[in-house]
Amino acid sequence: MIDVLVVGAGPTGLTLACELAVRGVRVRIVDRAASFFGGSRADGIQPRTMEVFADIGVLDSILASGDLGMVIRAYKGDEVVWKGQMTEPVEPTPSVPYPNIWFVPQFRTEKILRERLAELGGRVELSTELTDFTQDVDGVTATLTTGGTVETVRARYLVGADGGRSTVRRRLGIPFPGETDETTTMLFADARVDGISHDHGRIWQNGDGGVSVVPLAGTELFVVTARPPADEHEPIRDYLQRQVTESSGRTDILVREVTWHTTWRANTRLAERFREGRVFLAGDAGHVHPPTGGQGMNTGIQDGYNLGWKIAATLTGAPDVLLDSYEPERMAAARTALDISTALLEKHRRGDDDAHIRGPEVHGLTLHYRGSPLSIDDRTEPGALRAGDRAPDAPATIDGTPVRLFDLFRGPHWTFLAFGTPPSEPLDPALRAYTVVRPGEPAGENTLVDNDGHIRASYDANDGTLMLIRPDGYIGLVTDSSRRATEYWTAVMS
Ligand SMILES: Cc1cc2nc3c(=O)[nH]c(=O)nc-3n(C[C@H](O)[C@H](O)[C@H](O)COP(=O)(O)OP(=O)(O)OC[C@H]3O[C@@H](n4cnc5c(N)ncnc54)[C@H](O)[C@@H]3O)c2cc1C
């Protein structure tokens, strides 16, 4: 029997598999596709996902594979009628080290995650389709079909990260309410285009339609978007060439080759449940979004990041309260993401002037789990930062050596922060514990000196406040009582 069978090796399944593998969980990840996905699809990585990638250990590769996005110019003929960026890049702050959306094609992001999984000893099994499964009190029995070969696999848990048409969700009979609007469609294509430079994106309006041609980060390709062709038999390259020539009025731009394309339909849906016993839904299997706002992949990655440590802890004896928290936490997050992308889609439909602009609401940094059964804040006067919130970054020193809180959080462990004085009760050795002091205050072992006050400023904590930070970087407990901290730890992890 293996521990976890992950069905689907898109960004969600790969993130989950990495989170499980790093904790020594016996995981298999299968995908029915014969080869790895090769399209740009989700090319916007949100700031919160950058933090997840830093924790997983892929941030350097992600940074090396993308950029901050291009300036876009909207043309009428030769005249530039609008110029700007989806988001204006801003400088990092002590609490937010990656404040900008980073653009990387989805096929690169997936490759980087696969490489990380390989470092952790895992690999994706291609051409392997989940065709059926049943579950009982001890585990799940799954049927995998590879070519003509049928295999039966026993796993303690099964996760359906198998996309919007999820076999797992359908097999469980979980309703997927929402709407598909066949009148709101768009053709997205990755293409080699000659005759234009790679230094900015272009939009050419043409009556009610038009075409956009935007460089695809880290590649020689462009993402070309246009209305889908009326004649579905017309070769896509020929159709796009016609659109570009007619919209731009230029005959010197050549669409040479289309490497991937899809016709997107406005499809907005949220599954009624994300869990049935030992089977979970994650990513597009549980929620599908319009691409406006770049929420789909980012939300799926956060699902995998949320679920991985919980399954791993449960496998080593942690109580079910952890797994019970997955659905309420991630369903609320998916709802928020759907509201964001739907509101932006409406702006596009209305043709609002600012429809292309993306604000901080898409970044995922303010997403919180305050309502979760895992979030307990028993202070009589809670501060601005509470249990369930993202634990911010901040600089400090230990024994005179500069460190960042994110360096201390990185890895599969929980972190304990005690403000002012160390806790009065001994802690579980599995916790990494630090005491936060002001400059000049007595500093013992594992004391973080908050030289510039950034920790206090962003954590809004008093002397005596204790905080437990979860492995996924959210604050689980805020209390003034050491006994309460021990009780929380026992209830959640032992
Ligand atoms: C044009 C476009 C632009 C987008 N832009 C953005 C963006 O900017 N930002 C963003 O966050 N999101 C964006 N998205 C959405 C994003 O691409 C998806 O949300 C994301 O791919 C979901 O990842 P996933 O891993 O959950 O599912 P998928 O990527 O769909 O992966 C599911 C995998 O499961 C496999 N599978 C399915 N059934 C089975 C089975 N029975 N057995 C085995 N394997 C199976 C499939 O082969 C597939 O590889 C965009 C989408 C589109 C179409």
Side-chain angles (χ1 to χ4, degrees), residues 450-483:
D450 187 16
N451 296 296
D452 301 311
H454 289 303
I455 303 184
R456 295 250 179 197
S458 51
Y459 281 73
D460 194 19
N462 298 321
D463 281 342
T465 299
L466 308 171
M467 293 194 186
L468 273 167
I469 319 292
R470 305 171 9 167
D472 58 357
Y474 288 87
I475 300 167
L477 173 74
V478 190
T479 184
D480 296 329
S481 153
S482 283
R483 184 182 47 77

Side-chain angles (χ1 to χ4, degrees), residues 8 10-12 31-32 41-42 106 130 162 167 284 294 296-298:
T12 304
D31 200 296
R32 71 175 168 200
R41 242 167 115 181
Q106 185 169 329
L130 174 92
D162 50 348
T167 306
D284 275 21
M297 178 184 76
N298 286 279

Side-chain angles (χ1 to χ4, degrees), residues 223-484:
V223 179
V224 186
T225 57
R227 280 198 176 149
D231 172 8
E232 61 183 39
H233 300 297
E234 182 176 6
I236 288 296
R237 194 212 68 83
D238 299 357
Y239 172 73
L240 288 176
Q241 181 67 68
R242 205 154 45 74
Q243 290 297 309
V244 169
T245 308
E246 282 175 14
S247 300
S248 68
R250 287 175 57 174
T251 52
D252 60 327
I253 304 173
L254 178 66
V255 179
R256 228 168 4 104
E257 184 194 358
V258 173
T259 58
W260 170 82
H261 68 93
T262 188
T263 297
W264 164 82
R265 282 170 185 74
N267 195 15
T268 310
R269 291 176 187 277
L270 179 65
E272 281 188 2
R273 297 190 301 284
F274 285 3
R275 180 186 183 188
E276 194 73 58
R278 294 179 166 272
V279 183
F280 296 84
L281 297 180
D284 275 21
H287 42 82
V288 287
H289 308 244
T292 39
Q295 298 294 297
M297 178 184 76
N298 286 279
T299 307
I301 287 171
Q302 305 287 342
D303 289 347
Y305 190 58
N306 182 293
L307 186 56
W309 69 270
K310 292 176 180 174
I311 292 184
T314 308
L315 284 165
T316 52
D320 244 12
V321 62
L322 283 187
L323 293 183
D324 290 344
S325 70
Y326 171 71
E327 181 179 287
E329 289 186 353
R330 293 312 302 164
M331 200 171 269
R335 255 193 214 108
T336 303
L338 283 167
D339 287 347
I340 291 168
S341 40
T342 307
L344 286 166
L345 181 64
E346 283 308 316
K347 283 188 164 194
H348 278 276
R349 280 182 172 137
R350 289 195 303 264
D352 290 4
D353 288 344
D354 61 351
H356 287 91
I357 306 301
R358 301 289 175 261
E361 74 280 3
V362 301
H363 291 174
L365 295 170
T366 50
L367 185 139
H368 61 79
Y369 300 137
R370 284 187 185 181
S372 165
L374 296 187
S375 304
I376 295 177
D377 198 327
D378 67 359
R379 294 171 296 177
T380 42
E381 287 179 32
L385 194 77
R386 305 193 188 157
D389 289 348
R390 160 188 168 273
D393 196 10
T397 52
I398 295 182
D399 285 338
T401 305
V403 288
R404 305 198 61 91
L405 287 186
F406 276 11
D407 296 331
L408 308 179
F409 298 161
R410 188 171 307 129
H413 56 272
W414 286 67
T415 308
F416 188 91
L417 294 180
F419 288 83
T421 46
S424 55
E425 284 198 13
L427 295 165
D428 189 294
L431 284 164
R432 299 239 179 118
Y434 301 93
T435 306
V436 181
V437 301
R438 298 178 185 83
E441 288 181 345
E445 207 186 336
N446 286 336
T447 300
L448 284 166
V449 182
D450 187 16
N451 296 296
D452 301 311
H454 289 303
I455 303 184
R456 295 250 179 197
S458 51
Y459 281 73
D460 194 19
N462 298 321
D463 281 342
T465 299
L466 308 171
M467 293 194 186
L468 273 167
I469 319 292
R470 305 171 9 167
D472 58 357
Y474 288 87
I475 300 167
L477 173 74
V478 190
T479 184
D480 296 329
S481 153
S482 283
R483 184 182 47 77
R484 192 63 205 264

Side-chain angles (χ1 to χ4, degrees), residues 1-6 26-28 130 132-144 151-158 278-279 315:
M1 172 130 100
I2 60 166
D3 293 324
V4 185
L5 176 63
V6 179
R26 290 166 306 163
V27 55
R28 277 180 73 178
L130 174 92
D132 198 8
F133 65 88
T134 55
Q135 60 173 314
D136 53 58
V137 284
D138 299 319
V140 181
T141 304
T143 308
L144 299 179
E151 182 193 3
T152 302
V153 177
R154 265 305 266 174
R156 301 277 300 278
Y157 297 98
L158 183 147
R278 294 179 166 272
V279 183
L315 284 165

Side-chain angles (χ1 to χ4, degrees), residues 37-65:
F37 177 69
S40 58
R41 242 167 115 181
D43 60 353
I45 300 178
Q46 302 292 355
R48 178 62 191 149
T49 308
M50 295 293 276
E51 296 180 358
V52 172
F53 283 168
D55 185 38
I56 290 179
V58 297
L59 188 69
D60 288 347
S61 304
I62 290 286
L63 287 172
S65 303

Side-chain angles (χ1 to χ4, degrees), residues 55-203:
D55 185 38
I56 290 179
V58 297
L59 188 69
D60 288 347
S61 304
I62 290 286
L63 287 172
S65 303
D67 62 37
L68 278 172
M70 291 278 163
V71 168
I72 310 276
R73 292 183 193 157
Y75 293 87
K76 240 188 199 144
D78 287 342
E79 191 197 344
V80 176
V81 291
W82 179 84
K83 182 180 158 188
Q85 251 174 302
M86 265 189 165
T87 59
E88 287 296 333
V90 296
E91 290 299 315
T93 65
S95 62
V96 181
Y98 321 109
N100 299 302
I101 303 177
W102 190 253
F103 291 85
V104 178
Q106 185 169 329
F107 66 83
R108 283 265 161 85
T109 300
E110 292 186 11
K111 181 168 183 281
I112 290 167
L113 288 168
R114 283 197 303 272
E115 286 165 359
R116 177 67 184 133
L117 182 62
E119 283 170 9
L120 297 166
R123 84 179 167 86
V124 175
E125 299 173 48
L126 287 174
S127 303
T128 308
E129 179 171 11
L130 174 92
T131 46
D132 198 8
F133 65 88
T134 55
Q135 60 173 314
D136 53 58
V137 284
D138 299 319
V140 181
T141 304
T143 308
L144 299 179
T145 307
T146 310
T149 313
V150 176
E151 182 193 3
T152 302
V153 177
R154 265 305 266 174
R156 301 277 300 278
Y157 297 98
L158 183 147
V159 182
D162 50 348
R165 297 193 175 139
S166 170
T167 306
V168 176
R169 187 191 65 241
R170 289 175 180 186
R171 185 74 190 75
L172 290 172
I174 295 179
F176 201 32
E179 61 178 45
T180 302
D181 173 6
E182 295 287 347
T183 63
T184 306
T185 56
M186 183 71 83
L187 173 69
F188 287 78
D190 299 347
R192 291 184 207 288
V193 180
D194 288 347
I196 49 174
S197 62
H198 235 267
D199 57 357
H200 69 277
R202 294 153 177 87
I203 300 174

